[in-house]
Amino acid sequence: MFLENASRKGWIEVVCGSMFSGKTEELIRRLKRAQFAHQRVEIFKPRIDVRYSEEQVVSHDANAIRSTPVESPQNILLMTSDVDVVGIDEAQFFDDSIVEVCRQLADSGIRVIVAGLDMDYTGKPFGPMPALMATAEYVTKVHAICVRCGNLAHHSHRLTRDDKQVMLGAQDSYEPICRHCFRELRLAEEQSPERREPKKD
Ligand code: ZN
């Protein structure tokens, strides 16, 4: 369980993991506790993520909290002049400037809580997440349960034919799987190339 240590203000927390790992729920849990303590909280997400509601960070269990969609990380700086805590969801979809924006926020005394997918469906580090994890004071990696064997899962396996790194509005197209099941799927794919998904041009 993550516990805040607020002797000096301003730091960065990262909550990361695969799909269905509960990272947005953990972000919401931390933000709601801060709100309950009358801290001023603002929540942002990239405008690209419009799966559910324009105005809300929505986790899959519908435990929602109001958020502001922004085009670019710079917009966050313009909207956080008078806040104690900034939450950022789906951070993997922002460009690399989110790293500098988070640094500036934390340097100015704001508690920054960033949630995002740490890996894409191929198992590669996702966008700015590695740099955010490296520059944060606290990193919490949350896990899903492998749907194939019950181990801890940290891969988001894509079930559909699509090679794009970003595929939105498709929760049903992923399943959480563990390292070993991920490897088995990869090996099976390599051994029978005809099973590979056709590339799109
Ligand atoms: Zn497994």
Side-chain angles (χ1 to χ4, degrees), residues 14 22 35 47 51 73-74 95 97-98 115 119 121 125 136 152 166 170 187 193:
V14 170
Q35 278 180 331
R47 190 173 289 282
R51 276 178 300 193
Q74 298 302 319
D95 64 40
S97 67
I98 189 71
M119 288 188 285
Y121 75 102
L152 281 185
V166 177
L187 289 173

Short mmCIF file of all heavy atoms in Angstrom, two decimals, residues 14 22 35 47 51 73-74 95 97-98 115 119 121 125 136 152 166 170 187 193:
data_model
loop_
_atom_site.label_atom_id
_atom_site.label_comp_id
_atom_site.label_asym_id
_atom_site.label_seq_id
_atom_site.Cartn_x
_atom_site.Cartn_y
_atom_site.Cartn_z
N VAL A 14 4.39 7.56 -9.99
CA VAL A 14 3.92 6.88 -11.21
C VAL A 14 3.21 5.58 -10.80
O VAL A 14 3.72 4.83 -9.96
CB VAL A 14 5.09 6.58 -12.17
CG1 VAL A 14 4.62 5.65 -13.31
CG2 VAL A 14 5.65 7.87 -12.75
N GLY A 22 -5.68 -2.35 -12.77
CA GLY A 22 -6.22 -1.49 -11.71
C GLY A 22 -5.45 -0.20 -11.50
O GLY A 22 -5.57 0.44 -10.46
N GLN A 35 -8.71 14.71 -2.16
CA GLN A 35 -9.91 15.57 -2.21
C GLN A 35 -10.60 15.58 -0.85
O GLN A 35 -11.07 16.62 -0.39
CB GLN A 35 -10.89 15.05 -3.27
CG GLN A 35 -10.56 15.49 -4.68
CD GLN A 35 -11.55 14.95 -5.70
OE1 GLN A 35 -12.14 13.88 -5.51
NE2 GLN A 35 -11.73 15.68 -6.79
N ARG A 47 -6.46 14.16 -24.90
CA ARG A 47 -7.74 14.23 -25.59
C ARG A 47 -7.98 13.00 -26.47
O ARG A 47 -9.11 12.65 -26.79
CB ARG A 47 -7.81 15.51 -26.44
CG ARG A 47 -9.20 15.79 -27.00
CD ARG A 47 -9.27 17.14 -27.67
NE ARG A 47 -9.21 18.26 -26.75
CZ ARG A 47 -10.24 18.67 -26.02
NH1 ARG A 47 -11.38 18.05 -26.08
NH2 ARG A 47 -10.12 19.69 -25.21
N ARG A 51 -12.74 7.24 -24.99
CA ARG A 51 -13.48 5.98 -25.02
C ARG A 51 -14.85 6.11 -24.35
O ARG A 51 -15.83 5.58 -24.83
CB ARG A 51 -12.69 4.89 -24.29
CG ARG A 51 -11.68 4.24 -25.16
CD ARG A 51 -10.91 3.21 -24.39
NE ARG A 51 -10.21 3.83 -23.26
CZ ARG A 51 -9.26 3.20 -22.58
NH1 ARG A 51 -8.92 1.99 -22.91
NH2 ARG A 51 -8.65 3.80 -21.60
N PRO A 73 0.72 18.36 -23.25
CA PRO A 73 1.12 18.52 -21.85
C PRO A 73 1.26 19.98 -21.42
O PRO A 73 1.02 20.31 -20.26
CB PRO A 73 2.47 17.79 -21.79
CG PRO A 73 2.37 16.74 -22.85
CD PRO A 73 1.59 17.40 -23.96
N GLN A 74 1.66 20.85 -22.37
CA GLN A 74 1.82 22.27 -22.03
C GLN A 74 0.53 22.86 -21.46
O GLN A 74 0.56 23.74 -20.59
CB GLN A 74 2.23 23.08 -23.27
CG GLN A 74 3.57 22.67 -23.86
CD GLN A 74 4.71 22.76 -22.88
OE1 GLN A 74 4.78 23.72 -22.10
NE2 GLN A 74 5.59 21.76 -22.87
N ASP A 95 3.08 13.03 -25.60
CA ASP A 95 4.44 13.03 -26.15
C ASP A 95 5.45 13.23 -25.01
O ASP A 95 5.08 13.40 -23.85
CB ASP A 95 4.59 14.08 -27.26
CG ASP A 95 4.42 15.50 -26.75
OD1 ASP A 95 4.91 15.82 -25.65
OD2 ASP A 95 3.77 16.30 -27.45
N SER A 97 7.16 15.56 -23.98
CA SER A 97 7.18 16.79 -23.19
C SER A 97 6.43 16.65 -21.87
O SER A 97 6.56 17.49 -20.98
CB SER A 97 6.62 17.97 -24.01
OG SER A 97 5.24 17.78 -24.26
N ILE A 98 5.67 15.58 -21.70
CA ILE A 98 4.97 15.35 -20.42
C ILE A 98 5.99 15.18 -19.29
O ILE A 98 5.71 15.52 -18.13
CB ILE A 98 4.05 14.10 -20.51
CG1 ILE A 98 3.17 13.98 -19.26
CG2 ILE A 98 4.84 12.83 -20.69
CD1 ILE A 98 2.09 14.99 -19.15
N ALA A 115 -0.60 8.04 -14.10
CA ALA A 115 -0.92 6.63 -14.36
C ALA A 115 -0.81 6.35 -15.85
O ALA A 115 -1.12 7.21 -16.69
CB ALA A 115 -2.34 6.32 -13.88
N MET A 119 3.87 -0.82 -20.96
CA MET A 119 4.29 -1.47 -22.21
C MET A 119 3.14 -1.47 -23.22
O MET A 119 1.98 -1.56 -22.83
CB MET A 119 4.69 -2.93 -21.94
CG MET A 119 5.99 -3.10 -21.21
SD MET A 119 6.49 -4.84 -21.15
CE MET A 119 5.36 -5.49 -19.93
N TYR A 121 1.34 -3.43 -26.68
CA TYR A 121 0.92 -4.83 -26.80
C TYR A 121 2.03 -5.76 -27.28
O TYR A 121 1.92 -6.98 -27.15
CB TYR A 121 -0.30 -4.94 -27.74
CG TYR A 121 0.05 -4.79 -29.20
CD1 TYR A 121 0.14 -5.89 -30.03
CD2 TYR A 121 0.29 -3.53 -29.75
CE1 TYR A 121 0.46 -5.76 -31.38
CE2 TYR A 121 0.63 -3.39 -31.08
CZ TYR A 121 0.70 -4.50 -31.89
OH TYR A 121 1.04 -4.37 -33.21
N PRO A 125 8.44 -0.72 -24.11
CA PRO A 125 8.09 0.42 -23.26
C PRO A 125 7.26 1.43 -24.04
O PRO A 125 7.54 1.69 -25.21
CB PRO A 125 9.45 0.99 -22.87
CG PRO A 125 10.37 -0.17 -22.96
CD PRO A 125 9.87 -1.01 -24.11
N ALA A 136 10.56 9.85 -11.46
CA ALA A 136 9.63 9.93 -10.33
C ALA A 136 10.31 9.52 -9.03
O ALA A 136 11.26 8.74 -9.02
CB ALA A 136 8.44 9.00 -10.59
N LEU A 152 0.73 -13.66 -12.04
CA LEU A 152 0.66 -12.22 -12.17
C LEU A 152 0.93 -11.85 -13.63
O LEU A 152 1.87 -12.35 -14.24
CB LEU A 152 1.70 -11.54 -11.29
CG LEU A 152 1.34 -11.42 -9.81
CD1 LEU A 152 2.43 -10.62 -9.10
CD2 LEU A 152 -0.02 -10.76 -9.61
N VAL A 166 -1.38 2.49 -30.95
CA VAL A 166 -2.51 3.05 -30.22
C VAL A 166 -3.79 2.56 -30.87
O VAL A 166 -4.05 2.83 -32.04
CB VAL A 166 -2.48 4.59 -30.25
CG1 VAL A 166 -3.71 5.16 -29.56
CG2 VAL A 166 -1.21 5.09 -29.58
N ALA A 170 -11.23 -0.20 -27.46
CA ALA A 170 -11.19 -1.62 -27.77
C ALA A 170 -10.77 -2.45 -26.56
O ALA A 170 -9.89 -3.29 -26.65
CB ALA A 170 -10.23 -1.85 -28.93
N LEU A 187 6.40 -17.58 -29.49
CA LEU A 187 7.04 -18.74 -30.11
C LEU A 187 6.08 -19.42 -31.08
O LEU A 187 6.46 -19.79 -32.19
CB LEU A 187 7.52 -19.72 -29.04
CG LEU A 187 8.71 -19.25 -28.20
CD1 LEU A 187 8.99 -20.22 -27.07
CD2 LEU A 187 9.95 -19.09 -29.08
N PRO A 193 4.16 -19.08 -39.25
CA PRO A 193 4.01 -17.71 -39.75
C PRO A 193 2.64 -17.46 -40.38
O PRO A 193 2.18 -16.32 -40.41
CB PRO A 193 5.11 -17.59 -40.82
CG PRO A 193 6.05 -18.71 -40.55
CD PRO A 193 5.26 -19.79 -39.88
#
